Amino acid sequence: MDAKVYELLNDQINKELYSAYLYLDMANFYADKGLAGFQNWFTIQAQEERDHAMLMLQYLHNNGQHVELKAIAKPDKEFKDLMDPLKMALEHEEYVTSLINGIYAAASEVKDYRTLQFLDWFVKEQGEEEMNAQDNISKMELFGGDPKGLYMLNSELQARVYSAPSLVL
């Protein structure tokens, strides 16, 4: 495996684990506000990010690479209102998309077709992640200012269930 591609994938494992921490922090914010549905949505989001890290870890192992785990930074975001975590989640997903695109570009440059195929799933996943984050913002803008609307949105987010990724390595 190309050294740069390896380094980017190994670093991405840490960034995915940081994403899980960040989403747990967002879940905690909503738990403190008594919004169990929002808490549920972000708790599941954290599980997904952990799974993304594990998929990358397994991919590196499957390709004979050593995985170097690094310290995971404490989330440093402050949330002032109910919309803040939603907007920060979209910003974060856009950032993660840029990271995945960077790994994809590096793998493409060295014609690492196996890694490109592996990353195809993540490229698609990031499109879904950004769409879901934007959808949450749009719904909050439309309904979140009304107590009944917020209650319904919270109930909708409470219905989200965890589904492990089905990526075959």
Side-chain angles (χ1 to χ4, degrees):
M1 179 176 283
D2 177 75
K4 182 178 179 183
V5 173
Y6 158 75
E7 182 181 334
L8 290 170
L9 281 168
N10 195 87
D11 287 346
Q12 190 63 31
I13 292 168
N14 192 70
K15 289 175 176 153
E16 296 290 338
L17 292 171
Y18 171 79
S19 295
Y21 268 34
L22 178 62
Y23 288 136
L24 284 175
D25 197 37
M26 292 175 180
N28 287 336
F29 171 79
Y30 287 118
D32 290 344
K33 300 294 182 192
L35 293 168
F38 286 82
Q39 175 190 358
N40 176 64
W41 197 92
F42 279 105
T43 299
I44 289 172
Q45 199 64 23
Q47 289 174 300
E48 285 189 4
E49 301 304 334
R50 180 202 162 274
D51 282 351
H52 296 170
M54 296 305 294
L55 288 168
M56 290 179 184
L57 182 140
Q58 189 62 54
Y59 179 76
L60 287 178
H61 284 171
N62 289 352
N63 285 278
Q65 301 297 315
H66 170 75
V67 174
E68 181 184 345
L69 298 176
K70 300 174 184 175
I72 301 168
K74 176 183 175 184
D76 62 350
K77 307 291 184 190
E78 288 190 34
F79 313 120
K80 294 180 178 30
D81 61 43
L82 298 179
M83 184 64 90
D84 280 352
L86 301 175
K87 288 183 176 178
M88 289 179 191
L90 176 59
E91 289 175 17
H92 186 73
E93 289 302 337
E94 290 169 342
Y95 168 68
V96 172
T97 296
S98 75
L99 296 172
I100 298 296
N101 289 345
I103 301 168
Y104 200 96
S108 182
E109 190 175 298
V110 295
K111 296 181 171 59
D112 182 347
Y113 301 114
R114 183 181 315 157
T115 299
L116 290 172
Q117 184 179 28
F118 170 71
L119 291 172
D120 281 342
W121 183 87
F122 288 94
V123 170
K124 180 178 181 254
E125 176 72 5
Q126 281 310 120
E128 292 173 11
E129 299 283 15
E130 287 184 29
M131 182 185 70
N132 290 337
Q134 182 58 60
D135 191 43
N136 285 341
I137 292 169
S138 297
K139 288 178 181 177
M140 186 65 144
E141 288 172 344
L142 286 170
F143 309 116
D146 173 62
K148 290 179 186 173
L150 181 60
Y151 176 82
M152 294 300 292
L153 182 53
N154 188 61
S155 296
E156 177 184 319
L157 297 177
Q158 182 68 47
R160 183 181 187 196
V161 294
Y162 178 67
S163 175
S166 59
L167 178 63
V168 177
L169 299 178

